[in-house]
Amino acid sequence: MVIFIRFLPVIYLVLINIAAFIVYGVDKHRAERYLWRVPEKVLILLAVFGGSIGALLGMRTFHHKTRKWYFRFGIPGILILQILALALFFAWDLDFFTWFH
């Protein structure tokens, strides 16, 4: 049980990225058939909540939302911010900042 809890963040990130990738593909499919679309807010929120890699891969794979500047620059920007936040978290956790005292 402890091992499962320890890997919960990793499991969450894998699942949210798979979901983001699939949702981008579904939205592209529906766009090509003039059907009901996934709101752009949902597509962006998937990236914000940890699915930025899946969103970026979905954009590239399905050639979806690549013309809109707020997707073209926003999704990679979100990914960069998430990587920086993760790096800061691990640096803080490893007492990296105490080396500079």
Side-chain angles (χ1 to χ4, degrees):
M1 183 66 160
V2 173
I3 293 173
F4 175 74
I5 292 172
R6 192 171 185 194
F7 288 106
L8 240 137
V10 174
I11 293 167
Y12 170 78
L13 286 175
V14 168
L15 292 176
I16 190 91
N17 279 286
I18 290 171
F21 182 80
I22 290 170
V23 170
Y24 272 74
V26 167
D27 190 48
K28 175 66 176 194
H29 178 77
R30 296 182 73 78
E32 292 171 339
R33 285 159 181 71
Y34 302 103
L35 299 172
W36 173 85
R37 304 282 305 280
V38 176
E40 288 182 344
K41 184 188 300 185
V42 171
L43 297 174
I44 291 173
L45 284 175
L46 281 168
V48 168
F49 289 131
S52 54
I53 294 172
L56 195 57
L57 288 174
M59 285 174 61
R60 303 283 184 229
T61 302
F62 304 115
H63 305 285
H64 191 47
K65 299 292 185 187
T66 54
R67 292 185 185 178
K68 297 201 174 196
W69 68 268
Y70 44 92
F71 278 92
R72 191 170 60 209
F73 299 111
I75 301 299
I78 291 168
L79 176 59
I80 289 167
L81 289 174
Q82 289 171 341
I83 290 170
L84 286 173
L86 197 60
L88 281 173
F89 172 77
F90 283 114
W92 187 274
D93 192 45
L94 296 173
D95 289 333
F96 177 78
F97 297 108
T98 59
W99 298 350
F100 298 104
H101 280 75

